[in-house]
Every structure is written in structure tokens, then in C-alpha cells.
Amino acid sequence: MKNIVILTGAGISAESGLKTFRDSDGLWEGYNIQDVATPEAWEHNPVMVQQFYNERRKTVLEAKPNAAHYALAALEEKYKVTIITQNIDDLHERAGSSTVVHLHGIITRSQSSINPELTYPIDGWEIKMGELCELGSQLRAHVVWFGEPVPMIEHAAMICTSADIFILIGSSLAVYPAAGLIGYVDRDVPKYLIDPNIPSVNVRGEVIKIREKATIGVPALVNELLKD
Ligand code: NAD
């Protein structure tokens, strides 16, 4: 069975109603990213940061997977599929994909604010101030902030080295270290890029650019791959 590795970014969830960063001039839902998605923001204003992620979680829980998420799940009929996602939503899982690596965490879980390895399911959409981890520290969203280490990156790089086919969907490749993952894919592996604004990539070998929105480009490519 061929091994397909897929790297997704915010663009795949855009048509589910979840806004991307770049399409809103570096703001995220009207907030400057530095003010809500950094350890410094949490240090200065934990109440605001908690509220920001509670609102994002509510929106994620209300959103539904779209045709692109479902098409990727259908690829498992014929391929070994690993999705590496930069997204903090759970739409790949809800569409039925079985192997999803969350590089930047997942907003539907909480995390200890002193030990990122301690994560927990959340009852409902809200983490309340005063809710503590087993070590007695405040719980926060299980997401990787700018300036924090990305614990899954080495695992993700290993997965990329094993790809027979690589697909990038809806990512501007502006956020490192995730943006460097394509560099771990072998030269001879076909690389498909699906995005209305194809990001520039500096890789050797065959690069196939599909300038489409995810809900159009992904099901079309999946149909082709299932025919092969
Ligand atoms: P990005 O915002 O930098 O880039 C989004 C990309 O998606 C752009 O290249 C854009 O052209 C493309 N795009 C827009 N609409 C699309 C569509 N309908 N179909 C396909 N592509 C489309 O996003 P990024 O590269 O993922 O990096 C930014 C960071 O944003 C990530 O670390 C991620 O954690 C975070 N983020 C996540 C979510 C989410 O979980 N849904 C939402 C916003 C931001």
C-alpha cells in the first residue's frame, strides 16, 4: 500500500467557516497574534487569552468538516494516509481520518500551564479560570503558541521522509518549523500543492500546482488517486 503524507494548514478549514491568519492581514479574528498567541500574552493577560481561545473553541465545535476533509478520509480506502496538520481544529478527525498528527496542538483539549505534556479533555467549550491541572496550575488551551517549542516536529519530519506521495493543502508556509517539513520529502516523490494562492516552495523534483479552493481541488485529486 502506498504511503500518502498530507500537510494541511488553515486554508483547508476556511470553507468550514474558520478564518485563516493570512487572509485577514496577520490578524486572527480581529486580534493581533502577538496579543493572544504567545507565552508573553498569557503572562500579561491570562483572562483575555483564555477568553480568546474559549471563543475559538466554541466556533470550532459549531463548524463542520467540509468536502476536502471528507475526501482525505476516503483516501484510506486505498492508501496508508498520515495527515500532519498545523490546524488546532478537530475537523480531520470528525471527517473520519484515522491518523492525524497535530503539530500545533488541538483546541478541544486543555493543557497544564506548567507542563505541556499534561493534557485533558474539556467538558463543553470553556476552560474556566480556576480550573487546575493535577500539579495545581491553571489550565489553558492545548495549542502551541509562537515562541514555544513544537514537540511533534521531529516525528512529523520522520513521517515526511517515508512519503510515496506528498500533498500540501491550504498553507502559506509562513510558519516555521512546519514550513520546512516539505524539505524532508524525497526528491523523487510527487508533491501536490492545493491552494488558490500557491506558496513558493524550494524543492527539487516533480511539483504539481493545483490553484483551487480545498473543496474543489482536494476531492478532484482524491478521485484521480483512487482511480490509479
Ligand atoms: P495561513 O493563514 O498562513 O495560510 C492560509 C493559506 O490557506 C493561504 O495560503 C491561503 O491562500 C489558503 N487558503 C485560503 N482559503 C483557502 C481555501 N478555501 N482552500 C485552500 N486554501 C485556502 O495558515 P497556515 O499556513 O496554516 O499557518 C498559520 C497558522 O495558523 C498555523 O500555525 C495554524 O495553527 C493557525 N491557524 C489554524 C486555524 C485552524 O485550526 N483552523 C485557523 C487559523 C490559524
Side-chain angles (χ1 to χ4, degrees):
M1 217 183 216
K2 278 195 177 170
N3 194 6
I4 300 195
V5 176
I6 302 159
L7 176 60
T8 65
I12 195 169
S13 297
E15 291 163 89
S16 292
L18 303 178
K19 293 209 177 85
T20 67
F21 280 170
R22 310 298 145 185
D23 295 333
S24 33
D25 285 336
L27 294 183
W28 193 7
E29 302 283 355
Y31 287 82
N32 186 325
I33 289 160
Q34 295 301 322
D35 294 340
V36 288
T38 59
E40 293 75 24
W42 175 251
E43 210 174 291
H44 292 135
N45 199 342
V47 172
M48 198 256 269
V49 173
Q50 192 77 280
Q51 190 187 337
F52 174 79
Y53 282 99
N54 283 342
E55 283 163 16
R56 300 288 74 73
R57 187 175 304 106
K58 197 162 185 245
T59 312
V60 163
L61 293 174
E62 286 164 3
K64 293 190 175 65
N66 64 46
H69 298 103
Y70 285 115
L72 294 184
L75 263 185
E76 294 185 20
E77 288 164 22
K78 214 171 149 187
Y79 295 90
K80 177 176 181 293
V81 180
T82 307
I83 297 177
I84 302 168
T85 188
Q86 300 170 75
N87 294 345
I88 57 174
D89 65 56
D90 62 348
L91 297 182
H92 286 302
E93 285 87 347
R94 278 199 265 145
S97 284
S98 59
T99 310
V100 186
V101 175
H102 279 269
L103 275 182
H104 297 156
I106 186 161
I107 198 168
T108 52
R109 291 182 75 80
S110 65
Q111 172 183 316
S112 160
S113 50
I114 54 174
N115 180 351
E117 285 177 24
L118 297 176
T119 73
Y120 309 90
I122 299 170
D123 191 14
W125 61 276
E126 206 178 5
I127 303 176
K128 297 197 176 71
M129 296 311 283
E131 278 185 69
L132 307 179
C133 76
E134 65 211 62
L135 303 175
S137 80
Q138 175 63 47
L139 288 175
R140 53 169 263 195
H142 175 43
V143 299
V144 174
W145 288 326
F146 290 94
E148 290 189 318
V150 180
M152 297 304 281
I153 196 70
E154 280 176 27
H155 179 52
M158 280 299 293
I159 292 168
C160 288
T161 62
S162 72
D164 298 312
I165 297 172
F166 180 83
I167 309 173
L168 173 77
I169 306 163
S171 174
S172 63
L173 295 183
V175 176
Y176 278 84
L181 284 173
I182 193 168
Y184 288 88
V185 182
D186 270 8
R187 181 204 164 106
D188 298 335
V189 168
K191 299 168 190 75
Y192 296 88
L193 314 182
I194 305 177
D195 197 306
N197 305 298
I198 301 281
S200 66
V201 289
N202 185 13
V203 288
R204 292 157 300 155
E206 190 188 359
V207 176
I208 304 107
K209 297 175 182 171
I210 303 173
R211 269 188 193 77
E212 296 279 7
K213 288 187 168 182
T215 58
I216 303 291
V218 178
L221 175 60
V222 166
N223 275 341
E224 285 305 309
L225 292 170
L226 289 177
K227 270 192 222 151
D228 282 351

